[in-house]
Amino acid sequence: MPMRGKDATTTTCLCAYGFRITVLAACLLLVSTTARSRQRNDDSTRPFTFVELNCENLFDNSHDTLKQDTEWMSESPRHWTYKRYRQKLNNIGKEIIACGENDGNWRLPDIVALCEVENDSVLRDLTRRSLLRTSRYEYIVTESPDLRGIDVALLFSPSSFRLISHRSIRVKPLKNMRPTRDILYANGLIISGDTLHIFVVHAPSRYGGEHSTRPYRLQVAKTLASAIDSIYSISPDAAILVAGDFNDYHDDPAPHLLYRHGLQNITADAKGSNGALGTYKYKGEWRSIDHIMASPKMSRRVTRSYISDPMFLLEDDEKYGGKTPLRTYNGFKYKGGYSDHLPLVARFGLEVAE
């Protein structure tokens, strides 16, 4: 079982040399595993489900003196009580469980990339004290310099993803740029015998204007692209997945930079089955600022990608019409919902290594 929490998550800047050593070790393990595998056939293909979800402020109600999190306490204007926190945990758990439904069949997602989670305690509660408590998910989480204490995390089933290593990649701030979330990097063996490289991203928001904040998101993309290039330099046909809240649309400059570094957006055209045309609705318009990107090796294995929008995640949009995500709060009014983002789901068909 991997170590978790502050002692387990690297919070210093990622050294390029150390990153290349980590990738090289993972690739050598892949070569060894592949050499032992026998010939496969179509009957050995198995489904593999990857989910991305921005949880929208998944905070506990305890104050971290090093972070600006007093908004999420019992005595705050939001009255963020322990009861409300526990309800939020169960809501997120229910949302993840629903992503396992597939044409009448159900199987718990293999990997879940999460944005807007506060800390290790929240992830422990989510995996051990919510509706996910019997899932046997393990997790890793960053410890970023974000002023509010927002982090990214990865849930994974150890039977589907055997963790090899993980690191936090620090994004160097530009002038006038506030410290942002670390990029979470993890690699591990999947059922096909491949080493899967995963990056979880939560880029800076557009607060202050899209154009003026664009360089900040490009800085995150450049940092990520450098890490991806390091993987490709050692393993040109690497299996890579990148997921998260990019705060950009699929045709914006930062995503396009990543496309030029060997990634394909496998959810650019994803839609829901109950009217969701994007993961996020702003002023009546559905758009997606959440994305799952993949290397060619993983893109070839995609069987389906979509937005999970069961009716319990939606409510009537009284101002603009249609439906909108059912949030935990609308302003300061508590609604007891889920998130302002809907989950992205990507399904893959993987051949099982014998």
Side-chain angles (χ1 to χ4, degrees):
M1 179 179 295
M3 296 182 63
R4 310 185 183 97
K6 294 181 180 178
D7 293 335
T9 307
T10 304
T11 57
T12 57
C13 295
L14 179 65
C15 168
Y17 176 76
F19 184 80
R20 288 176 62 86
I21 291 297
T22 300
V23 172
L24 179 59
C27 293
L28 288 174
L29 181 57
L30 168 61
V31 170
S32 175
T33 302
T34 303
R36 293 194 302 267
S37 297
R38 296 196 297 270
Q39 184 176 3
R40 310 169 191 137
N41 56 60
D42 292 340
D43 292 336
S44 66
T45 299
R46 296 291 183 270
F48 184 86
T49 303
F50 187 98
V51 172
E52 184 277 337
L53 172 63
N54 182 319
C55 300
E56 190 189 21
N57 297 317
L58 182 52
F59 281 75
D60 60 25
N61 70 332
S62 299
H63 179 44
D64 183 339
T65 58
L66 300 178
K67 301 294 183 180
Q68 299 173 8
D69 64 350
T70 54
E71 179 181 1
W72 301 99
M73 298 184 69
S74 300
E75 61 272 23
S76 74
R78 292 191 183 277
H79 304 292
W80 187 240
T81 62
Y82 182 70
K83 181 179 179 180
R84 290 182 176 183
Y85 165 59
R86 290 299 300 272
Q87 181 63 48
K88 175 84 171 186
L89 290 172
N90 280 325
N91 283 356
I92 296 298
K94 181 179 179 181
E95 194 168 2
I96 291 170
I97 290 170
C99 292
E101 194 281 328
N102 184 26
D103 295 330
N105 298 313
W106 180 86
R107 184 174 180 271
L108 198 68
D110 297 282
I111 297 178
V112 184
L114 297 176
C115 298
E116 287 200 27
V117 296
E118 184 182 16
N119 52 31
D120 180 89
S121 296
V122 167
L123 268 295
R124 184 177 64 249
D125 288 344
L126 179 64
T127 55
R128 303 294 182 266
R129 299 177 180 176
S130 78
L131 295 177
L132 295 176
R133 60 185 174 273
T134 61
S135 67
R136 298 186 179 180
Y137 275 139
E138 296 183 7
Y139 68 87
I140 47 180
V141 59
T142 58
E143 185 68 27
S144 303
D146 180 87
L147 298 179
R148 292 179 57 213
I150 292 176
D151 282 293
V152 299
L154 193 74
L155 307 184
F156 61 94
S157 171
S159 63
S160 303
F161 180 76
R162 195 171 79 199
L163 184 69
I164 299 172
S165 66
H166 65 92
R167 296 178 182 269
S168 290
I169 304 176
R170 184 61 46 86
V171 178
K172 184 179 179 179
L174 302 176
K175 183 179 180 180
N176 299 323
M177 176 183 173
R178 295 191 304 176
T180 190
R181 278 75 60 172
D182 289 348
I183 299 169
L184 176 59
Y185 167 71
N187 60 46
L189 287 177
I190 54 177
I191 56 176
S192 63
D194 294 297
T195 296
L196 178 61
H197 304 268
I198 301 173
F199 296 89
V200 186
V201 180
H202 187 185
S205 75
R206 297 184 170 207
Y207 182 77
E210 187 281 326
H211 188 268
S212 61
T213 57
R214 182 184 300 174
Y216 307 156
R217 292 184 294 280
L218 282 169
Q219 178 72 350
V220 172
K222 290 173 183 176
T223 305
L224 178 57
S226 177
I228 291 169
D229 288 346
S230 294
I231 295 174
Y232 279 138
S233 69
I234 297 171
S235 179
D237 193 31
I240 303 173
L241 291 176
V242 176
D245 179 353
F246 288 78
N247 274 302
D248 266 328
Y249 305 128
H250 71 90
D251 52 357
D252 281 328
H256 266 281
L257 187 151
L258 296 173
Y259 306 156
R260 295 195 298 271
H261 287 261
L263 295 180
Q264 301 171 20
N265 193 325
I266 60 175
T267 56
D269 299 318
K271 295 178 176 57
S273 58
N274 287 306
L277 303 178
T279 59
Y280 186 80
K281 194 175 186 183
Y282 181 68
K283 292 185 177 179
E285 182 180 8
W286 286 104
R287 296 292 299 269
S288 288
I289 55 178
D290 305 275
H291 307 286
I292 300 176
M293 302 181 191
S295 63
K297 185 168 195 173
M298 291 303 292
S299 295
R300 293 191 296 268
R301 294 165 163 175
V302 175
T303 58
R304 184 186 178 198
S305 64
Y306 63 97
I307 296 167
S308 178
D309 65 341
M311 292 304 296
F312 70 82
L313 291 181
L314 305 171
E315 66 172 341
D316 291 334
D317 188 336
E318 297 179 357
K319 185 173 183 179
Y320 296 102
K323 296 292 184 179
T324 193
L326 177 58
R327 305 177 60 173
T328 306
Y329 284 89
N330 185 3
F332 283 88
K333 180 181 178 181
Y334 180 69
K335 305 199 62 143
Y338 299 80
S339 173
D340 57 345
H341 293 242
L342 295 173
L344 276 175
V345 183
R347 297 194 192 282
F348 304 85
L350 301 182
E351 292 183 338
V352 180
E354 297 183 6

